[in-house]
Amino acid sequence: MPNTLKRLFLIDAIGALISSFTLGLIFLKFQIYFGLPKNVLLVLAIIPIFFALFSFTCYFGNVKQLKKKIKIIAIANLSYCLLTISLCLFYFEKTTLLGFAYFLGETIIVTILSIYELKATR
């Protein structure tokens, strides 16, 4: 079980870095195609960096209570999904179809990972 949890932290960390890179570099540069304001995209890009740091620390470190830590990152991920959906709805008139498609896809992927993380703690 510990190896499975460790692998989940690695997957989580890599996914968080991909999200951060996508939002912070690509979306900011091409913001007009996605619609959300740049400051919102920046916030959505910074949050996953902290998630990645947490997950990498749990993966590479000699961390105790892995089940508790995987629950923490799973809940943080689900909270991030809720924030993302809320911001898309708040900026509904500005968010483009491409923006909605990306954020919906990201939310689905992160939610599936989070559910799997929570199941792995049982």
Side-chain angles (χ1 to χ4, degrees):
M1 180 66 98
N3 286 337
T4 301
L5 294 179
K6 285 253 188 190
R7 250 182 268 126
L8 284 173
F9 282 116
L10 182 60
I11 292 166
D12 197 277
I14 291 170
L17 288 179
I18 291 169
S19 289
S20 184
F21 173 80
T22 303
L23 292 167
L25 296 178
I26 297 171
F27 276 37
L28 279 176
K29 184 172 176 104
F30 300 103
Q31 180 270 337
I32 193 166
Y33 298 109
F34 301 98
L36 286 178
K38 286 186 177 186
N39 62 330
V40 172
L41 291 173
L42 191 57
V43 168
L44 290 175
I46 290 171
I47 293 171
I49 292 171
F50 292 104
F51 292 0
L53 289 172
F54 180 84
S55 291
F56 275 132
T57 300
C58 292
Y59 178 74
F60 288 111
N62 188 10
V63 178
K64 303 213 186 296
Q65 298 178 326
L66 284 177
K67 286 185 177 186
K68 182 179 178 183
K69 301 248 183 335
I70 202 80
K71 283 181 184 179
I72 290 170
I73 198 64
I75 291 168
N77 283 335
L78 292 171
S79 298
Y80 178 80
C81 290
L82 185 60
L83 173 65
T84 300
I85 292 168
S86 298
L87 288 169
C88 284
L89 293 175
F90 185 79
Y91 292 102
F92 183 81
E93 292 184 12
K94 292 183 179 184
T95 307
T96 66
L97 187 57
L98 185 59
F100 278 119
Y102 171 81
F103 289 114
L104 179 63
E106 181 184 60
T107 298
I108 290 169
I109 291 168
V110 173
T111 299
I112 290 169
L113 175 62
S114 298
I115 291 168
Y116 187 77
E117 288 170 341
L118 291 171
K119 285 183 179 180
T121 63
R122 292 185 191 157

